[in-house]
Amino acid sequence: MRNLALQGEIRHIVPHVSSFLDAHIAGTLSDPTSATSPGKIVAVIPNSATDFRHHVHVGGGSVGDDNDFQDNDGRNASERNEESCDDCRSNLPPANFVVTSDGIFYALDSNDRLVWLVDLEKVVMAANEDDDDEEAEGPEVTAVQEQASEILPRSKWFYASSFLYESSPEDDLLDNEANSADGMNADMGMDLNNQRGLHVTCLSHAGHIVSVSIDATNSLAKNGGIVEDGSECIGSFENGLESGGWSPDGEVLALVTFASEADDEAGAGDNLAKFNATNSYEEAKIPILMTMNTQYEILSEIRLDPCLVPTHDEPNNSPTKSINPNTISLCWRPDSSSLALSTMDAPLPTDRDSTILASTTPKQQQPKPHRRIRTFHRTTLQLLSLSKEEDGSGRDVPNLLPVTPTWAPAGCSHYVGAVQSSRPLIGGSGNSGKNNARSRPVSLQVAFMEPNGLRHRECKIHDTRLAGKNGEKEEVIGIAFNLEGDLLAVVSLLTPADSESSTQHKEYGKVQLYHRSNYHWYLKYELRFDDKVENEGVNTSGSVSVIKFSDEDPYRLMIALDRRGSTLPENALEWREYAFRWESSTIHYSQHTIVGKSPNSPNVLALSIDGKTLNFTPLDKAIVPPPMYAASLELPAPVIGITSRPCFQHEITGNNSDDSNNKPSHEEEMSRVELIVALADGSFALLKNGVGKSKESLTPGFSPPTLLTTFDLSTLVFSNKMEGGDISPEYLAFNGMKLRDMTIIDASEDSFTIIAASSPQGTRGRHHFHDNLVEIKISWASLENGERERLDLQISACVPLKGRVLRIVNWSDTALVTGARWSALIELADGMLLDYFSGGMVDCSKAGALLEPCPWLAGLYDAKIDTTSLTPSADVLGHDEPSKRLAFGLSSRYRLYCGERLLSSASTSFAVSLEHKFLSHITLGSRPQQRFLPLASLRDFDPFMGSDENEALDGYEARSVERGARLIAIFPMKPMCVIQMPRGNLESISPRALVLPYIMMKIDEGDYFTALDIMRRQRVDMNLIVDLDPFHFLEKGGAELFIGQIDKIDNINLFLSSLIDVDTTIWKYPIPSWRKKERRDGR
């Protein structure tokens, strides 16, 4: 039942420093135009070793002050200085490091401005010149070397990662002695021989290994030295490097190179030569796997079976983004104990006869190469497993694709994931790479291999491409697990299927996020980078070059985009940071009411996202265990967000001053629009209630929501901008943005008023520290069969906030309080709470502040309102007492707060039930429980009172649950709740904390029939009917009312037989103090 929601988005753009770049790398390019056409991003590395609030200035510019970070209005220095030059260096410390495939190492500050820049090719050339100087000296030799260096093409760099080197006390003593002996370094305040601090290792296919010392480079940049001197070329492999990577603990570096031809004479060398002689379209080599330590000393190495090798002839600025079918890749196990290597093994001949047969047999009948995944031990490189089928036949896993495998953490049993096709792809893997467009003959999936190499289960990859004439070809180019193992990211590259559509639709990338529950993989979110809205013909689509989950936060994702094919070359290098959160449940409480009458029992509808399919389960009618469901709805694109319509107070009382003469009928209200669904392609769908019987529903009496229409907000905004002629500020703030935390603050039968947060677009040298708040009114009129001409959109307000939005929610008591309409509760990333009112009014919330940021939030606009029923009385509607607002929040560390009060130090989820007057939450620990905190006690809590007065905060009638369970829903009109087990099953329970107060409430209301029925089902002592208020039951007509409501004589006999002369409210069902206070106040 969990759905993934986008919590935040940050866009970064590498500054366009063309003139500075041309001057910096002059003399190292064979083609001078390559400087203005940078390569793609291969790594984005955060500088975790620097505290940016207590910084030391690095660059050569003037020393800045605190204004270099951020002003009170949320702007930084680069935003205020419009005359700043893009090529000027920043004087702030580096916050991020970006490495591109053409060997440029960018150091950017927190505002995405350039601090310093290292050309890795210069480091390699300097090392080669030093080696040549040792062998020969003289001006003639030097001139020849400089001439040769000018014609050398730039290497293709494919990997960069950092590790933190910590020295021992003995090393510190030696460093101090070296500093005292080296006066020049002491004067400059640096020591290039000191290897402590953060280091970044960069690898190229040409075989170069370059280590960049961040501390040394910062010192050189500060003192005006040559920044390349802070880097060192560790060495170069003659036969190049095909793959490599540091272990997660940063202690072992694994590399894959190739053996030389002289080493191939023995063993497989003869067969290898025969294979290469008979296959002119492919070349096979013997790979060598080796490991190194942080000192770049070889620990161990092994020779592998001959495999096909890819070619890297394309220039760095080539738009080709497909994966070579012969790619060699590796990945580390999260605990760094072993690594997995994926190779395309070559089918070598074994004797002379087979060689002759291979030379005379058609190419289609020759033995084909096969991709295998091997796992090796960390230190000894001993072979641990080989990818095989699990049926015991010993067959290799077929049709594995050349996508870098990923290793799941312990939560997924340490599976190795690899992309697999159901049958060989078109063009085959034996081509030389000329036809790399991989279509989907049947389907693609991520196959999982256990640590012993046996294939076990798979994750089906959803096909979300466009169908029809303008279809698309899709190629999976990457997969990755997050830190917790509950998210699997799949990266794809989509290209037009024909040349006609390629002129209108450029290639773009997308990222799909999958989640497993009850052995089923759900597609929970999809990010597309096609940017359909174009600025005066400007194409800003891009493909994904790098994807990486954070090593600290499992729900933070970094995505690097390759926009080199766009019409904005200065924005070619961009990366984005996304933050996600899990919604414990997505529940819609649809309240069907008839004006002037009591509300009907609300429908409790659970919604689950699975790609293009939206699954529905009416929990009040049937508890259908996932991955099954009661009904589903297919939508045009994958679902990424659901916004439900709350029940407002004027819809129950009928006091709607805006539309008093046009009250809806019961039939119109039953078919009204209840849901707004956000789709991955940027469009939105309106869903209305289902009416009558539905063939799609598997549950009797349930009609699932149906699709009314779809619309694209960005297209409507763009069309309004074109009609007006001028570009409005709202258009600039909204164009190209993804709306998140969409919340409905007002609704009628034909319109919604919504607010949502959006992140500003990244610009060169500017990093935005704030979000925009957009208020939009959507109106429709009698739409039929997808008609969209009568849809109207108005942007009412666009408010820039002073920080990033963490969460936007409706008030939980919108059905009871008039002021909750046109309002919402907003939480910023720093934990600050804001009240939003229609028209763009934002003010500090009267609910106070939370002690820490809480992604899961709920609030009460007026905690003093009586919540006994959903039909407010006249005296309640007219009360003059000042309102008291409450805010409840659950932090990412699972701490539950009510304002500044800590309610629980470890909770998985919580829910506010106004009908039952409880805040319910499920705790973590060795004895997990579902606890119930009375809202009245939270409202009247006084920290200066004694422990006796605040005893109710400890909870009421806690119930033990399974560890890891989550609270899904609490039924408004029943003493029941639904919880979900860690494996995904649903359970419906009736805790005593809900049953007893509900029975007491029904007895006070005189509804003895419902009270007796629940007491009989839940085995509650029926003496409570009399003992709760004996005087009213015996003297005020309660007994007569009881006899009149109970039809069956057996139930009356059961009640009489259970009566005893003992007060059960004293020893068995004690009435809590908050309940006594409510009864004493007449509530």
Side-chain angles (χ1 to χ4, degrees):
M1 293 299 173
R2 292 200 302 174
N3 292 321
L4 199 64
L6 181 63
Q7 182 172 296
E9 177 187 8
I10 305 175
R11 301 191 178 192
H12 307 265
I13 293 180
V14 177
H16 185 57
V17 288
S18 58
S19 59
F20 179 75
L21 189 62
D22 293 341
H24 190 78
I25 64 177
T28 64
L29 298 174
S30 59
D31 183 8
T33 60
S34 299
T36 57
S37 300
K40 65 179 181 180
I41 296 178
V42 298
V44 178
I45 305 170
N47 188 5
S48 58
T50 303
D51 185 359
F52 302 109
R53 291 300 175 182
H54 303 84
H55 62 276
V56 178
H57 295 276
V58 175
S62 60
V63 178
D65 52 15
D66 293 338
N67 293 330
D68 288 329
F69 288 110
Q70 187 177 355
D71 277 345
N72 294 329
D73 58 356
R75 298 183 303 147
N76 51 53
S78 59
E79 292 177 340
R80 299 189 307 271
N81 188 7
E82 299 179 356
E83 299 177 358
S84 61
C85 176
D86 290 333
D87 293 344
C88 296
R89 292 189 299 172
S90 171
N91 58 354
L92 298 179
N96 294 288
F97 307 105
V98 180
V99 182
T100 59
S101 61
D102 57 349
I104 304 300
F105 192 105
Y106 298 88
L108 308 178
D109 65 6
S110 58
N111 298 324
D112 293 340
R113 301 196 64 184
L114 183 67
V115 180
W116 45 261
L117 179 148
V118 173
D119 184 6
L120 301 179
E121 293 291 327
K122 274 191 174 183
V123 179
V124 175
M125 291 175 58
N128 294 335
E129 291 176 358
D130 294 340
D131 295 339
D132 294 339
D133 291 341
E134 295 178 359
E135 299 177 359
E137 297 180 356
E140 296 181 357
V141 177
T142 304
V144 173
Q145 294 173 356
E146 292 179 355
Q147 184 177 1
S149 64
E150 293 180 359
I151 62 176
L152 289 177
R154 296 184 68 86
S155 305
K156 181 172 291 186
W157 301 81
F158 66 92
Y159 175 83
S161 182
S162 63
F163 70 94
L164 189 63
Y165 181 82
E166 298 179 357
S167 60
S168 62
E170 291 78 7
D171 296 335
D172 295 339
L173 181 60
L174 294 177
D175 293 340
N176 294 332
E177 295 176 355
N179 288 336
S180 61
D182 193 348
M184 180 183 66
N185 289 344
D187 294 338
M188 295 184 64
M190 55 171 288
D191 179 16
L192 298 181
N193 296 323
N194 189 352
Q195 299 298 321
R196 291 175 298 176
L198 187 66
H199 293 253
V200 178
T201 302
C202 305
L203 307 177
S204 73
H205 286 303
H208 308 310
I209 303 179
V210 175
S211 177
V212 181
S213 175
I214 302 304
D215 293 342
T217 308
N218 285 338
S219 300
L220 288 168
K222 176 182 178 181
N223 295 277
I226 301 176
V227 292
E228 279 78 8
D229 292 344
S231 305
E232 179 185 1
C233 181
I234 304 301
S236 299
F237 289 87
E238 180 182 358
N239 298 310
L241 287 173
E242 185 56 35
S243 183
W246 281 102
S247 60
D249 59 6
E251 296 181 358
V252 179
L253 174 64
L255 300 173
V256 179
T257 183
F258 298 102
S260 61
E261 296 180 359
D263 297 335
D264 293 339
E265 296 178 356
D270 296 337
N271 294 332
L272 185 62
K274 295 175 183 179
F275 176 83
N276 292 332
T278 57
N279 295 272
S280 58
Y281 58 90
E282 287 177 330
E283 181 183 5
K285 291 183 179 180
I286 296 180
I288 295 179
L289 175 64
M290 65 176 60
T291 55
M292 295 181 175
N293 57 16
T294 56
Q295 299 296 327
Y296 299 99
E297 300 171 345
I298 297 178
L299 301 176
S300 58
E301 64 177 63
I302 59 170
R303 296 164 61 95
L304 306 178
D305 296 337
C307 65
L308 303 182
V309 297
T311 58
H312 304 286
D313 300 332
E314 300 86 359
N316 286 309
N317 57 358
S318 173
T320 303
K321 305 178 181 67
S322 300
I323 300 179
N324 192 290
N326 300 330
T327 296
I328 300 175
S329 57
L330 63 85
C331 68
W332 281 91
R333 183 166 168 162
D335 59 3
S336 303
S337 62
S338 56
L339 60 93
L341 183 67
S342 174
T343 59
M344 180 67 80
D345 293 350
L348 300 184
T350 58
D351 51 32
R352 184 173 180 274
D353 296 335
S354 61
T355 305
I356 297 175
L357 180 62
S359 61
T360 58
T361 303
K363 178 181 176 182
Q364 295 84 349
Q365 301 180 8
Q366 292 183 11
K368 295 182 180 180
H370 196 88
R371 180 165 292 275
R372 295 181 175 91
I373 297 178
R374 299 173 174 86
T375 59
F376 300 90
H377 192 267
R378 164 195 173 103
T379 55
T380 63
L381 292 183
Q382 177 186 358
L383 180 63
L384 300 179
S385 65
L386 180 64
S387 56
K388 297 291 182 180
E389 288 286 356
E390 62 178 341
D391 54 4
S393 62
R395 295 182 297 111
D396 293 320
V397 179
N399 307 325
L400 294 178
L401 300 186
V403 180
T404 303
T406 181
W407 211 314
C412 292
S413 303
H414 288 300
Y415 288 157
V416 176
V419 181
Q420 181 188 28
S421 175
S422 57
R423 66 186 185 199
L425 296 177
I426 297 176
S429 59
N431 288 343
S432 59
K434 295 181 180 180
N435 183 15
N436 287 333
R438 292 168 172 79
S439 60
R440 289 185 177 182
V442 179
S443 63
L444 292 179
Q445 61 188 17
V446 179
F448 301 106
M449 271 72 71
E450 296 179 350
N452 57 10
L454 297 181
R455 181 185 177 278
H456 184 69
R457 298 189 176 274
E458 65 282 329
C459 169
K460 298 289 185 181
I461 299 178
H462 289 222
D463 187 356
T464 60
R465 296 173 294 172
L466 296 176
K469 181 179 178 180
N470 295 328
E472 298 169 327
K473 295 180 180 179
E474 182 173 7
E475 175 188 2
V476 177
I477 60 176
I479 54 177
F481 271 105
N482 71 335
L483 186 64
E484 295 290 338
D486 58 350
L487 285 182
L488 172 64
V490 177
V491 186
S492 303
L493 175 66
L494 291 93
T495 56
D498 48 45
S499 58
E500 294 181 1
S501 61
S502 62
T503 58
Q504 300 177 355
H505 303 278
K506 303 297 182 182
E507 64 180 8
Y508 66 94
K510 72 177 182 181
V511 177
Q512 297 178 334
L513 299 178
Y514 291 86
H515 170 67
R516 186 182 66 174
S517 179
N518 253 16
Y519 302 100
H520 177 77
W521 287 90
Y522 296 85
L523 174 56
K524 288 299 184 180
Y525 209 93
E526 180 175 298
L527 295 168
R528 292 187 181 182
F529 305 99
D530 51 350
D531 292 350
K532 295 187 299 182
V533 178
E534 299 182 357
N535 300 321
E536 306 297 340
V538 174
N539 172 41
T540 58
S541 299
S543 61
V544 179
S545 60
V546 178
I547 180 172
K548 188 178 186 304
F549 282 99
S550 172
D551 296 331
E552 299 177 355
D553 189 344
Y555 305 113
R556 287 191 176 271
L557 179 65
M558 187 280 297
I559 299 176
L561 300 180
D562 185 3
R563 299 185 183 274
R564 291 177 294 174
S566 67
T567 55
L568 292 177
E570 64 273 12
N571 293 344
L573 301 182
E574 178 184 356
W575 84 94
R576 302 180 183 181
E577 296 179 73
Y578 293 93
F580 295 92
R581 68 170 180 269
W582 281 115
E583 301 290 0
S584 59
S585 63
T586 303
I587 304 296
H588 174 53
Y589 299 93
S590 57
Q591 183 75 40
H592 303 315
T593 61
I594 302 177
V595 176
K597 296 184 179 181
S598 300
N600 299 329
S601 179
N603 295 330
V604 183
L605 182 63
L607 302 96
S608 179
I609 297 174
D610 190 10
K612 293 183 178 181
T613 304
L614 190 59
N615 301 327
F616 306 102
T617 299
L619 299 179
D620 58 316
K621 294 179 173 60
I623 306 296
V624 183
M628 296 182 291
Y629 45 84
S632 63
L633 177 64
E634 190 78 12
L635 294 170
V639 180
I640 61 174
I642 304 172
T643 302
S644 62
R645 170 180 182 160
C647 181
F648 293 100
Q649 185 265 338
H650 71 275
E651 296 176 337
I652 298 178
T653 60
N655 297 329
N656 188 2
S657 59
D658 298 336
D659 196 13
S660 58
N661 297 325
N662 189 19
K663 296 181 180 179
S665 62
H666 180 58
E667 291 75 12
E668 292 176 347
E669 188 175 359
M670 292 292 294
S671 61
R672 69 182 181 182
V673 177
E674 293 283 346
L675 300 169
I676 300 180
V677 177
L679 305 180
D681 61 354
S683 61
F684 295 84
L686 297 180
L687 304 186
K688 64 178 182 179
N689 285 327
V691 180
K693 296 183 179 181
S694 175
K695 298 181 180 179
E696 302 296 333
S697 176
L698 302 178
T699 303
F702 171 63
S703 297
T706 58
L707 177 63
L708 178 64
T709 186
T710 59
F711 60 94
D712 193 339
L713 285 178
S714 57
T715 303
L716 293 175
V717 173
F718 184 73
S719 61
N720 294 339
K721 172 255 177 183
M722 294 298 295
E723 292 177 1
D726 298 330
I727 300 179
S728 63
E730 291 82 3
Y731 169 75
L732 292 176
F734 182 77
N735 182 25
M737 295 295 98
K738 286 184 173 60
L739 296 181
R740 67 178 192 274
D741 282 317
M742 185 177 294
T743 304
I744 301 174
I745 61 174
D746 187 51
S748 63
E749 299 307 316
D750 57 357
S751 68
F752 280 155
T753 301
I754 63 174
I755 60 172
S758 67
S759 300
Q761 284 182 326
T763 55
R764 292 178 294 163
R766 292 186 178 183
H767 182 77
H768 299 282
F769 292 90
H770 66 275
D771 284 341
N772 294 329
L773 199 62
V774 184
E775 180 181 334
I776 306 172
K777 184 176 182 179
I778 306 172
S779 304
W780 59 90
S782 302
L783 299 179
E784 297 178 359
N785 299 327
E787 180 186 353
R788 306 180 187 179
E789 289 76 13
R790 306 181 68 178
L791 191 69
D792 184 43
L793 170 70
Q794 295 180 358
I795 300 180
S796 306
C798 181
V799 183
L801 300 175
K802 295 183 179 181
R804 298 193 181 279
V805 175
L806 183 63
R807 191 67 190 268
I808 305 176
V809 295
N810 286 111
W811 297 102
S812 299
D813 51 355
T814 55
L816 302 174
V817 185
T818 305
R821 183 187 179 189
W822 302 99
S823 177
L825 180 61
I826 302 175
E827 182 185 10
L828 300 183
D830 57 358
M832 182 179 182
L833 296 180
L834 303 175
D835 290 342
Y836 179 84
F837 301 95
S838 180
M841 298 176 58
V842 180
D843 196 5
C844 292
S845 178
K846 296 180 180 179
L850 301 174
L851 291 183
E852 61 178 308
C854 296
W856 299 275
L857 186 67
L860 293 179
Y861 190 87
D862 191 354
K864 294 184 178 181
I865 291 294
D866 182 17
T867 58
T868 302
S869 66
L870 285 177
T871 306
S873 58
D875 56 338
V876 172
L877 293 176
H879 75 92
D880 297 329
E881 299 181 6
S883 62
K884 182 175 183 179
R885 300 181 188 176
L886 292 179
F888 311 98
L890 182 64
S891 70
S892 57
R893 298 182 178 182
Y894 305 108
R895 296 171 181 168
L896 182 62
Y897 295 95
C898 176
E900 297 181 350
R901 300 187 295 274
L902 178 64
L903 303 181
S904 173
S905 59
S907 294
T908 61
S909 55
F910 77 96
V912 177
S913 176
L914 297 180
E915 296 77 11
H916 298 284
K917 306 179 183 181
F918 278 119
L919 168 69
S920 179
H921 65 98
I922 296 180
T923 63
L924 289 169
S926 59
R927 295 182 178 180
Q929 294 179 331
Q930 182 181 6
R931 297 180 180 178
F932 299 85
L933 303 180
L935 293 177
S937 298
L938 296 176
R939 177 195 60 200
D940 301 332
F941 177 82
D942 189 353
F944 298 101
M945 297 296 293
S947 59
D948 295 338
E949 295 293 334
N950 298 322
E951 185 178 0
L953 287 180
D954 296 335
Y956 177 70
E957 292 284 341
R959 179 190 176 105
S960 298
V961 296
E962 185 177 341
R963 182 182 302 177
R966 297 185 303 272
L967 182 60
I968 299 300
I970 299 178
F971 290 8
M973 297 300 179
K974 299 178 182 179
M976 295 174 59
C977 63
V978 178
I979 61 176
Q980 187 172 22
M981 301 297 104
R983 58 187 174 272
N985 293 340
L986 298 178
E987 290 188 6
S988 174
I989 61 176
S990 297
R992 286 293 192 188
L994 295 182
V995 172
L996 294 179
Y998 187 81
I999 292 175
M1000 295 178 184
M1001 180 184 65
K1002 290 299 179 181
I1003 294 175
D1004 290 339
E1005 294 177 354
D1007 188 359
Y1008 295 104
F1009 176 82
T1010 303
L1012 184 64
D1013 182 68
I1014 295 177
M1015 296 174 76
R1016 186 172 56 86
R1017 294 175 183 271
Q1018 299 298 328
R1019 296 182 178 273
V1020 178
D1021 194 341
M1022 296 184 183
N1023 280 274
L1024 185 62
I1025 296 178
V1026 180
D1027 296 339
L1028 185 64
D1029 193 348
F1031 179 76
H1032 180 272
F1033 186 81
L1034 299 176
E1035 302 294 338
K1036 295 294 184 179
E1040 291 80 2
L1041 185 61
F1042 175 83
I1043 297 298
Q1045 293 181 2
I1046 307 303
D1047 298 330
K1048 295 183 179 181
I1049 190 64
D1050 294 337
N1051 292 337
I1052 297 178
N1053 293 334
L1054 180 63
F1055 167 72
L1056 295 176
S1057 62
S1058 63
L1059 294 178
I1060 58 176
D1061 190 14
V1062 177
D1063 190 356
T1064 56
T1065 61
I1066 297 177
W1067 64 279
K1068 195 171 187 179
Y1069 304 127
I1071 302 176
S1073 58
W1074 55 269
R1075 179 70 183 176
K1076 292 180 180 179
K1077 183 178 179 181
E1078 287 185 352
R1079 298 186 65 194
R1080 186 168 57 251
D1081 296 340
R1083 295 188 177 185

